[in-house]
Amino acid sequence: MKKIYLCISLLGILTACSVDDNIQTNEEQITNSLSFKKYDDFNDEKSKMYSDLSQSLNTSLINSYNFRELLKTEALKMFDKDYDVLLYTIQDIQLEDGQTVKSILNKNLKNFNVDQILSNIPTLTIFIPELPENSFSASKWNLNEVPSIAFRSSLSNNIPYLDNNYNKNVIEASQIPVFPIIVLKENERIILSKNNANKQLKNGDNNIFEFWSDNFDNIEGTKAAKFLSRTTNISKKINSTTPIEDKDKYIEAFDMYNPIINGGIDGWHRDYIYYDISPQQVRGEFKYNYQEFITNIRFKNDSDGLATSIYKKIADQTGDPSSASASGWADGYFEIKVRSLINGSNGVGEELVTGITVKPSDFFEYNYKTTDPTRPGGTVYLVGVRAKSTPNEIKIPSLQWDLKDYSSSIKVTFEEVDISETRVETTSRVTKFAANIGVDANFDLFKIFKIGLKFGANKETTQTVTNQITRNLASDELGEAIINFGDRVYIFRDPRNNIIDPSYPLKNYSGRTPRIEYRTYSTGYLDFNVIPLKVQ
């Protein structure tokens, strides 16, 4: 699984950033994948643990039908919304003759024991991948078959594995298996919590886990251990009602501020959406009916029509740019992490973290070439990846854009992040705030209004806001885009695809369907929309 971090911060000029300059970069830590052609080339301490566990798990699964059934059953529960089984949470489950998962694995381990391995890799996960050509998946696993055992290493995109005869092999980064195989790896959706005040795991030790986003929490109704909540103060304000597009409102805003048909008045669509402000009514109280969502995310193809650049970033585990990696098969669904850095008018910023999970096939189309067409098993080459142009239904919640509390612009940054060490950055930003927010003495002393179109007569003010951001050191930047409160929600294109202001109201247009679309933002690697959806 790959994490894609989506950072949202209220726009400003970066004036200070304090980080630990002595932290080693990901590029300095990795070795080129070409050095890892053989199984025994993976000889760092963590790989030795994985290798020992692979041999033990291989023997255990060969000898225990119940163990195979347990893994399939637990994987299909998708406790983290992927086909993952957290070893920590199943280690005490009894199988044959009163033996537990831990005791069976310990019996077959040679150099380590389960406690030692989990001490070093606490989020160790047994992952069952979905493989091409309907060759293998959790749902298709025939329990009379014993899959090979692979493990994921941060040192290389090549993937070492053991077959049922204990033969050591390596699947090269450009290949994808089409035979039964499961993967040992670290879980990218959960973290080991440092908060031990409320011990919730069933064995009562000091290990407490958290989902880094509550949106990955699928443990209700399963036997998986409970996790601490990651809910923040701002996330409590987010409306949980299913958001909908209010197209009538967007068209009204478009027509209202179309300068071609209303005497040159050019205002902000969101003024009307959030405050009901119009050229005729320039005073408005904030309405909580709407909330911003990042949606319709779609990756961009390169000039050759393929999505090679973006897919290499997402599927790559090591940060090695020379590797044409197809190794994303061992990572499962994509994780998209949304980090909203909300810059408040009180000078304090808060970090809002949201995560979603999507199948790679929702974003990409794949073209495979079989290594040996006469052989039913083996591997296939990934010879082409194309980004789908059809927008998906992902909706990532952001702020309810009240200019009394938040600045007038946000910056959206996407990052793809592997499991790695994290650091905390403290940033100070000079941001813009609307100055035409306050009490109208001539109207109502007990209500707060936005007075005037756009920034009104008082223009804007600037203020320094401080945020603390937690970043993974292995992040790959996927670009950024700026969204302003004053940006149009809808745009109109003529038959030549030019953005124009039509000479007629869209609301009354009854001829050929006009080319109305949401404004698109681009980072260079992907396009997306930011839409104020109706939430109540």
Side-chain angles (χ1 to χ4, degrees):
M1 289 169 280
K2 311 301 291 181
K3 297 193 196 80
I4 305 174
Y5 277 45
L6 171 59
C7 302
I8 308 171
S9 60
L10 273 276
L11 175 66
I13 302 170
L14 181 63
T15 59
C17 180
S18 61
V19 299
D20 187 349
D21 296 328
N22 296 320
I23 297 177
Q24 190 179 28
T25 64
N26 186 56
E27 288 78 6
E28 293 170 331
Q29 296 177 30
I30 65 172
T31 306
N32 194 295
S33 296
L34 298 177
S35 303
F36 294 87
K37 290 290 189 181
K38 298 179 180 179
Y39 189 98
D40 291 335
D41 290 339
F42 296 82
N43 57 10
D44 62 296
E45 190 68 13
K46 187 174 291 186
S47 294
K48 291 177 181 178
M49 292 183 177
Y50 277 131
S51 178
D52 198 16
L53 183 59
S54 296
Q55 297 185 58
S56 172
L57 184 59
N58 195 6
T59 300
S60 301
L61 293 182
I62 289 173
N63 295 330
S64 175
Y65 179 93
N66 289 347
F67 201 166
R68 301 197 295 274
E69 184 177 43
L70 172 67
L71 291 185
K72 177 174 180 174
T73 301
E74 291 298 315
L76 289 172
K77 291 178 180 178
M78 301 181 73
F79 87 97
D80 60 355
K81 300 187 180 179
D82 206 345
Y83 297 103
D84 290 333
V85 181
L86 191 65
L87 178 57
Y88 194 95
T89 63
I90 66 166
Q91 61 178 322
D92 294 326
I93 293 178
Q94 289 190 353
L95 299 172
E96 294 90 352
D97 302 324
Q99 296 184 88
T100 64
V101 169
K102 179 194 280 189
S103 64
I104 290 175
L105 290 175
N106 277 336
K107 181 172 65 175
N108 297 313
L109 283 165
K110 297 179 179 179
N111 303 310
F112 303 94
N113 60 49
V114 170
D115 288 339
Q116 290 173 320
I117 294 173
L118 291 180
S119 176
N120 286 273
I121 317 172
T123 64
L124 194 151
T125 295
I126 303 169
F127 168 62
I128 303 180
E130 292 184 278
L131 298 177
E133 302 177 355
N134 293 316
S135 56
F136 184 67
S137 67
S139 61
K140 295 180 182 298
W141 184 0
N142 179 353
L143 292 177
N144 291 320
E145 295 181 319
V146 178
S148 299
I149 313 295
F151 66 85
R152 200 68 160 107
S153 171
S154 62
L155 298 176
S156 173
N157 288 319
N158 294 341
I159 298 177
Y161 76 97
L162 285 176
D163 65 22
N164 296 150
N165 296 317
Y166 302 94
N167 295 314
K168 297 178 178 180
N169 305 280
V170 171
I171 299 173
E172 295 186 6
S174 59
Q175 297 180 344
I176 302 174
V178 284
F179 56 84
I181 188 169
I182 61 180
V183 184
L184 302 177
K185 64 189 191 70
E186 293 182 72
N187 192 302
E188 295 100 336
R189 301 186 176 204
I190 60 175
I191 59 175
L192 185 64
S193 175
K194 295 181 180 179
N195 179 6
N196 294 325
N198 181 14
K199 297 179 175 59
Q200 294 188 329
L201 286 182
K202 58 185 177 182
N203 27 0
D205 58 24
N206 290 328
N207 284 335
I208 300 176
F209 296 92
E210 303 175 14
F211 293 99
W212 56 258
S213 170
D214 287 341
N215 286 349
F216 295 137
D217 185 349
N218 194 36
I219 63 176
E220 184 176 356
T222 76
K223 293 182 180 179
K226 294 186 180 298
F227 289 64
L228 294 180
S229 171
R230 297 281 288 174
T231 303
T232 65
N233 290 333
I234 285 187
S235 64
K236 293 176 183 177
K237 303 175 185 177
I238 300 243
N239 199 303
S240 60
T241 305
T242 301
I244 60 174
E245 299 173 67
D246 192 351
K247 294 183 178 181
D248 290 341
K249 187 83 170 182
Y250 308 152
I251 289 177
E252 289 174 6
F254 185 97
D255 289 341
M256 183 178 300
Y257 293 118
N258 179 353
I260 300 299
I261 63 175
N262 63 13
I265 298 176
D266 182 15
W268 294 344
H269 291 189
R270 286 180 174 84
D271 263 356
Y272 181 63
I273 293 168
Y274 281 109
Y275 294 93
D276 282 332
I277 288 177
S278 67
Q280 294 75 35
Q281 175 58 50
V282 296
R283 179 193 300 105
E285 187 178 4
F286 183 79
K287 305 295 191 299
Y288 288 90
N289 297 349
Y290 298 88
Q291 179 180 333
E292 300 295 327
F293 282 78
I294 293 87
T295 186
N296 297 338
I297 299 170
R298 58 270 189 200
F299 291 105
K300 302 185 71 171
N301 291 311
D302 299 329
S303 58
D304 60 1
L306 299 178
T308 306
S309 298
I310 181 62
Y311 191 76
K312 282 175 65 176
K313 280 183 172 289
I314 296 173
D316 173 49
Q317 182 76 9
T318 66
D320 176 13
S322 67
S323 174
S325 175
S327 59
W329 67 267
D331 294 320
Y333 289 11
F334 296 149
E335 295 87 25
I336 298 179
K337 184 173 184 178
V338 186
R339 180 184 290 117
S340 300
L341 303 180
I342 307 299
N343 289 342
S345 57
N346 61 357
V348 178
E350 183 174 351
E351 183 182 28
L352 168 61
V353 176
T354 304
I356 60 173
T357 179
V358 295
K359 295 179 66 173
S361 58
D362 289 342
F363 283 147
F364 298 102
E365 297 173 341
Y366 300 93
N367 185 19
Y368 302 108
K369 179 180 179 181
T370 306
T371 55
D372 184 354
T374 65
R375 186 176 60 179
T379 61
V380 296
Y381 286 100
L382 181 62
V383 295
V385 182
R386 191 182 307 277
K388 292 184 176 181
S389 58
T390 305
N392 51 60
E393 297 301 316
I394 292 173
K395 294 181 176 65
I396 303 172
S398 184
L399 74 168
Q400 291 184 295
W401 211 334
D402 187 352
L403 293 178
K404 173 177 66 69
D405 297 323
Y406 306 122
S407 71
S408 60
S409 298
I410 62 177
K411 179 168 70 174
V412 180
T413 303
F414 288 77
E415 300 175 34
E416 179 275 310
V417 179
D418 299 316
I419 294 176
S420 65
E421 188 176 0
T422 60
R423 69 183 178 196
V424 176
E425 298 179 359
T426 299
T427 63
S428 297
R429 299 178 184 273
V430 177
T431 67
K432 291 182 178 181
F433 292 85
N436 55 333
I437 305 291
V439 174
D440 187 343
N442 296 320
F443 191 74
D444 192 326
L445 294 176
F446 300 98
K447 293 183 178 180
I448 303 296
F449 295 94
K450 182 176 186 292
I451 304 169
L453 304 181
K454 299 185 177 181
F455 284 120
N458 295 325
K459 304 299 182 183
E460 73 272 7
T461 63
T462 59
Q463 186 172 327
T464 300
V465 179
T466 301
N467 296 93
Q468 283 196 331
I469 311 167
T470 302
R471 294 191 183 278
N472 288 61
L473 299 183
S475 296
D476 287 321
E477 298 288 342
L478 301 181
E480 63 186 35
I482 304 301
I483 296 89
N484 300 294
F485 185 91
D487 290 345
R488 294 186 177 188
V489 176
Y490 264 166
I491 62 170
F492 179 86
R493 293 185 184 273
D494 67 12
R496 296 183 178 181
N497 210 36
N498 298 313
I499 298 176
I500 66 167
D501 291 320
S503 58
Y504 46 81
L506 297 184
K507 185 175 182 179
N508 299 329
Y509 185 69
S510 59
R512 181 169 53 88
T513 302
R515 302 186 64 185
I516 306 172
E517 62 186 59
Y518 293 112
R519 173 167 177 160
T520 295
Y521 300 90
S522 179
T523 70
Y525 285 105
L526 55 85
D527 294 333
F528 62 100
N529 306 115
V530 180
I531 308 171
L533 299 179
K534 191 171 185 178
V535 293
Q536 67 179 26

